[in-house]
Amino acid sequence: MANLYIGQDFNGNALKLYKSKKMPFTKANDMKTMIDLEKTYSIQPVMQLDYSAQVNQYFSQGKVAMIQQGDWIYPTIEGIDKDFAKNDVGMIPIPVPGQEGKMPVGTSLYWAVNSKKSTQEQKAAKDFLDWMYTSKEGKKQVVNKLHFVPAYKGYDNFKMSDPLTTSVFEYSQNHKTTGWAFPGYTGTSWDPDVAQPNLQKYLSGKQSWDKTVQNMKDGWAKQQKSSN
């Protein structure tokens, strides 16, 4: 969630965030509003919830109305209840002030070709990737088998294979998206060592929100100073 609020100071640009010596966090109060809302209406106790409980135990079995996840959860939902996955699942943007109606969209993983392999093997890998994303049959596999939202042109005539990728694809096509800034901090120790512990203290009622925000900002500045 922090991506939606911290990222606004960097226009959703992960590299700008990664290089910044300061974390302005000007939308901290907006984030507090959403965290408090989720905490109030969440399955309790909040601190014991994890990905498996959210997706497998509660959402996929229709025990909660909504969760904060992405299109990557579709194979899991489908594996539990195909009818539910196909007919009763959708996706809407989180109502972030200043970013209303925009879906946060980004790429979490990338294909790579191993430079230590032989020239022949490298060429075969590149040819395969070209086939997968440019050929008619390859495109079908990307959409229908992998449930990927295509990151390339040439898919305008393709229908996405499930409701979640359909939502992401439509928002992307209509330019109603905001970027992922969080890769700019997930590649550092700030997230596990600073952000998460402080947010846990707040959610547990052991720390004020102002103190939580200040610790997160100070932790970022300290980390950036020591790494440069």
Side-chain angles (χ1 to χ4, degrees):
M1 179 188 289
N3 169 74
L4 297 170
Y5 302 93
I6 292 173
Q8 288 192 57
D9 294 314
F10 303 92
N11 294 318
N13 188 303
L15 187 59
K16 288 183 179 180
L17 170 58
Y18 182 77
K19 291 182 176 180
S20 177
K21 296 184 182 301
K22 295 182 179 180
M23 181 175 284
F25 209 169
T26 59
K27 305 297 182 179
N29 287 336
D30 290 337
M31 181 173 168
K32 178 183 183 299
T33 298
M34 182 56 67
I35 284 182
D36 289 347
L37 181 71
E38 290 193 352
K39 179 182 178 181
T40 300
Y41 293 98
S42 173
I43 294 286
Q44 301 294 330
V46 176
M47 298 305 295
Q48 293 184 15
L49 286 174
D50 58 13
Y51 179 90
S52 179
Q54 278 191 31
V55 180
N56 299 49
Q57 183 178 352
Y58 293 112
F59 187 72
S60 295
Q61 297 183 44
K63 295 179 180 179
V64 295
M66 62 179 68
I67 57 174
Q68 184 185 322
Q69 288 291 341
D71 60 358
W72 50 82
I73 71 172
Y74 188 81
T76 300
I77 302 173
E78 185 182 40
I80 295 173
D81 190 331
K82 288 185 178 181
D83 290 337
F84 176 72
K86 184 178 180 180
N87 301 311
D88 299 312
V89 174
M91 193 185 299
I92 59 174
I94 294 175
V96 179
Q99 299 290 328
E100 292 88 349
K102 292 184 178 181
M103 189 84 75
V105 174
T107 301
S108 57
L109 300 171
Y110 301 84
W111 296 112
V113 176
N114 191 339
S115 63
K116 295 182 180 180
K117 293 296 182 178
S118 68
T119 301
Q120 183 179 3
E121 287 177 299
Q122 290 183 48
K123 183 179 184 304
K126 293 176 182 178
D127 288 345
F128 170 73
L129 292 175
D130 286 342
W131 170 85
M132 187 165 66
Y133 281 103
T134 61
S135 71
K136 186 175 181 179
E137 180 60 29
K139 290 179 179 180
K140 287 182 180 180
Q141 297 299 321
V142 167
V143 172
N144 299 321
K145 184 70 174 179
L146 300 179
H147 291 276
F148 284 175
V149 178
Y152 305 98
K153 296 180 179 179
Y155 286 80
D156 294 348
N157 296 324
F158 275 79
K159 181 180 180 181
M160 299 297 105
S161 58
D162 66 75
L164 300 186
T165 54
T166 296
S167 291
V168 176
F169 187 68
E170 289 178 350
Y171 274 87
S172 298
Q173 292 293 92
N174 293 324
H175 304 289
K176 293 183 178 180
T177 63
T178 181
W180 279 0
F182 71 82
Y185 63 71
T186 52
T188 71
S189 62
W190 177 83
D191 189 35
D193 294 345
V194 180
Q196 292 181 30
N198 276 282
L199 288 171
Q200 288 172 352
K201 288 180 181 178
Y202 173 72
L203 285 168
S204 300
K206 298 178 180 179
Q207 182 170 276
S208 71
W209 179 250
D210 288 344
K211 178 64 173 175
T212 298
V213 172
Q214 194 59 53
N215 286 350
M216 290 168 71
K217 293 166 69 174
D218 291 346
W220 179 262
K222 182 178 179 180
Q223 176 179 281
Q224 293 298 83
K225 183 177 181 180
S226 64
S227 63
N228 294 323

